[in-house]
Amino acid sequence: MKANPILKKELVLGARSIKLPLALLFYSACLSVTALVTLDGMTGFGQVYREIEYETLTSIFLVLAYMQLFMICVIIPVLTAGSIAGERERQTLDIMLTAPISPLSIVLGKLFSAMCNIFLFVISSLPAMAIAFLYGGIRWEYLLIFMVSIMCIAFFSGAIGIWCSSIYKKTIVSVIMTMIVELAFFLGTILILLGYYYIKYERILETGGTIPANGIDVGWVPAILLLNPAVGFTDAIYTAYTGSSGAEMILKNSFFGNAASGLVKICPWWSWISMGVTILLGIGFVMLAAGRIDSVRRREKHRNTGHKAGRSKKQKRKEQDPHESLKEIQQ
C-alpha cells in the first residue's frame, strides 16, 4: 500500500523540529507534578503518622484522566486548525492542490499526523497514570479503555479542526472556531437537555400540576448525550473508578421519568456506543473538509483553464490578424 505523502511530509517535518520534544516534556512534567501533588495530599509525604484512606488513592487516575482530556482538547485545535489555513497563509495551498493527491488523502494525511503526535502524548502519560495502578483498586484493562476513549476524542476534535481550517483562511480564526464547535458538543448537548427539562417543569407548574415522584418524563431526549464525547468519556472513567455505569446512575435517579427506562438498557455499553458515535461524527467532519478542499481545487482549476483559454483565443487572433501584434507592440 502506498504511503500517504502528506502524512510522510508532516512526520518528517515534525521530527526535525524541537517543538514536539519540548511539548512532550511540558506535558509529561505537568502530569507528573499533578500526580505527585495529588499523592502528597492523600498520603502526606514527610508525616510520620497519618491515617490513609486506601480508596482515595485511586482518585489519582480520575484527576489525571480529566486533566489529559482538557489538555488534549486544547492541543488538538492548535495542531489541526492551522493545517489548511496555514497552507493558505504560506501561499503553498495551490501547490498542494496541483499535486496528484485526492482531497481526502490531504485531509487524512494532516489529521493522522496530528493523531500520531497525540498518541505520543498519551503514551508519555502512562508512567504518571500507572501510579494509580500501583495501589490497586483499578484494573489494567481500564487503562486500555482510557487510551481508546481519549484517542477517539482526539480524532473527533482533530476532524473538527481540519474542517474549520478548510473553511477559514486565518489560523487564529480556525483555532477559535474549532474550540467553539467543541464546546457546542461538550456543553451544548447538556444545555439542550437541561433546557428541555426546565421547559417541561415550567409547563407542569403553569397548568397547576404536580411533579411526579419518578421525575419529569422527557422521553428519549437524554439520548442526545450520546453526541457528547465527554459524557462517554466520563462514563468510561466512572466505571473504572467505581465499577458501575455513570450513565445508568444518572438515568435511574428518578430525574428523567419512566420514559428513560429504555435508555437504561444500553447503559452498560454507553461508553462504547458513545465512542462509535464520536468516530462517525469525526468521519463526517473529515468528509466535509475533503469536500471543501475539492471545491477549492475545482474552482482553481476552472480559473486556470479559463485563463489559458483566454490566452489561446488571443493568440489565434494574432495569427489571423498580423496587425493585432503590431498594435500590442505600439501600445
Side-chain angles (χ1 to χ4, degrees):
M1 187 175 76
K2 187 178 180 180
N4 190 311
I6 301 297
L7 175 59
K8 184 177 179 180
K9 177 184 77 76
E10 294 292 332
L11 292 179
V12 170
L13 292 178
R16 293 176 179 176
S17 175
I18 193 63
K19 295 180 181 179
L20 181 60
L22 291 177
L24 286 171
L25 177 62
F26 176 77
Y27 186 84
S28 302
C30 289
L31 291 179
S32 300
V33 170
T34 302
L36 291 176
V37 170
T38 305
L39 188 62
D40 178 60
M42 294 174 181
T43 60
F45 289 156
Q47 297 185 18
V48 180
Y49 298 104
R50 180 173 178 174
E51 183 179 354
I52 300 175
E53 296 182 4
Y54 178 78
E55 294 181 355
T56 60
L57 295 175
T58 57
S59 63
I60 298 176
F61 177 78
L62 192 66
V63 173
L64 295 180
Y66 279 105
M67 184 177 178
Q68 287 193 75
L69 175 64
F70 173 77
M71 294 180 69
I72 285 179
C73 288
V74 173
I75 292 172
I76 274 288
V78 177
L79 293 177
T80 59
S83 56
I84 306 299
E87 298 288 348
R88 283 197 181 97
E89 292 175 346
R90 294 188 295 269
Q91 298 181 353
T92 56
L93 181 60
D94 294 338
I95 300 175
M96 180 182 296
L97 294 179
T98 56
I101 308 173
S102 65
L104 183 60
S105 297
I106 294 175
V107 172
L108 292 179
K110 294 286 187 179
L111 179 58
F112 287 155
S113 65
M115 292 290 295
C116 291
N117 294 332
I118 291 298
F119 185 72
L120 291 178
F121 283 102
V122 174
I123 292 297
S124 67
S125 69
L126 293 183
M129 297 289 291
I131 295 177
F133 295 88
L134 293 176
Y135 294 96
I138 296 179
R139 291 180 294 180
W140 284 97
E141 56 263 30
Y142 285 112
L143 183 61
L144 178 61
I145 295 175
F146 159 76
M147 294 179 63
V148 173
S149 180
I150 202 72
M151 291 304 295
C152 288
I153 295 177
F155 174 77
F156 169 74
S157 300
I160 295 175
I162 296 288
W163 176 62
C164 291
S165 183
S166 66
I167 295 176
Y168 299 99
K169 297 181 180 180
K170 298 294 183 181
T171 300
I172 184 64
V173 178
S174 180
V175 171
I176 294 173
M177 291 306 301
T178 301
M179 292 185 177
I180 290 176
V181 176
E182 283 183 345
L183 288 176
F185 280 94
F186 292 154
L187 296 179
T189 52
I190 297 176
L191 292 178
I192 290 174
L193 177 59
L194 294 179
Y196 184 78
Y197 184 89
Y198 177 76
I199 291 173
K200 297 209 69 173
Y201 179 83
E202 289 293 326
R203 286 180 179 177
I204 292 175
L205 294 182
E206 289 176 358
T207 56
T210 57
I211 305 299
N214 60 346
I216 299 175
D217 187 2
V218 294
W220 285 77
V221 178
I224 196 176
L225 296 179
L226 288 172
L227 300 176
N228 191 331
V231 174
F233 180 82
T234 299
D235 181 73
I237 299 303
Y238 187 85
T239 303
Y241 185 63
T242 63
S244 59
S245 173
E248 185 175 0
M249 182 196 69
I250 294 174
L251 295 176
K252 279 188 175 181
N253 67 350
S254 299
F255 185 73
F256 294 115
N258 293 329
S261 59
L263 289 174
V264 176
K265 297 179 181 180
I266 67 172
C267 284
W269 304 278
W270 185 282
S271 57
W272 295 105
I273 296 174
S274 180
M275 290 181 198
V277 173
T278 300
I279 293 175
L280 291 177
L281 289 173
I283 293 174
F285 280 110
V286 167
M287 299 307 295
L288 289 175
R292 176 69 178 179
I293 294 175
D294 185 48
S295 65
V296 173
R297 167 182 278 181
R298 284 188 279 106
R299 186 166 60 249
E300 292 294 330
K301 184 178 180 180
H302 178 72
R303 184 183 303 173
N304 294 333
T305 303
H307 182 66
K308 291 180 179 179
R311 291 182 60 185
S312 62
K313 290 180 180 179
K314 195 172 182 180
Q315 290 175 356
K316 288 181 179 179
R317 287 199 305 268
K318 290 180 182 180
E319 293 175 358
Q320 295 175 358
D321 187 5
H323 299 286
E324 186 73 20
S325 301
L326 182 60
K327 288 180 181 179
E328 287 191 357
I329 295 174
Q330 290 176 354
Q331 290 177 357

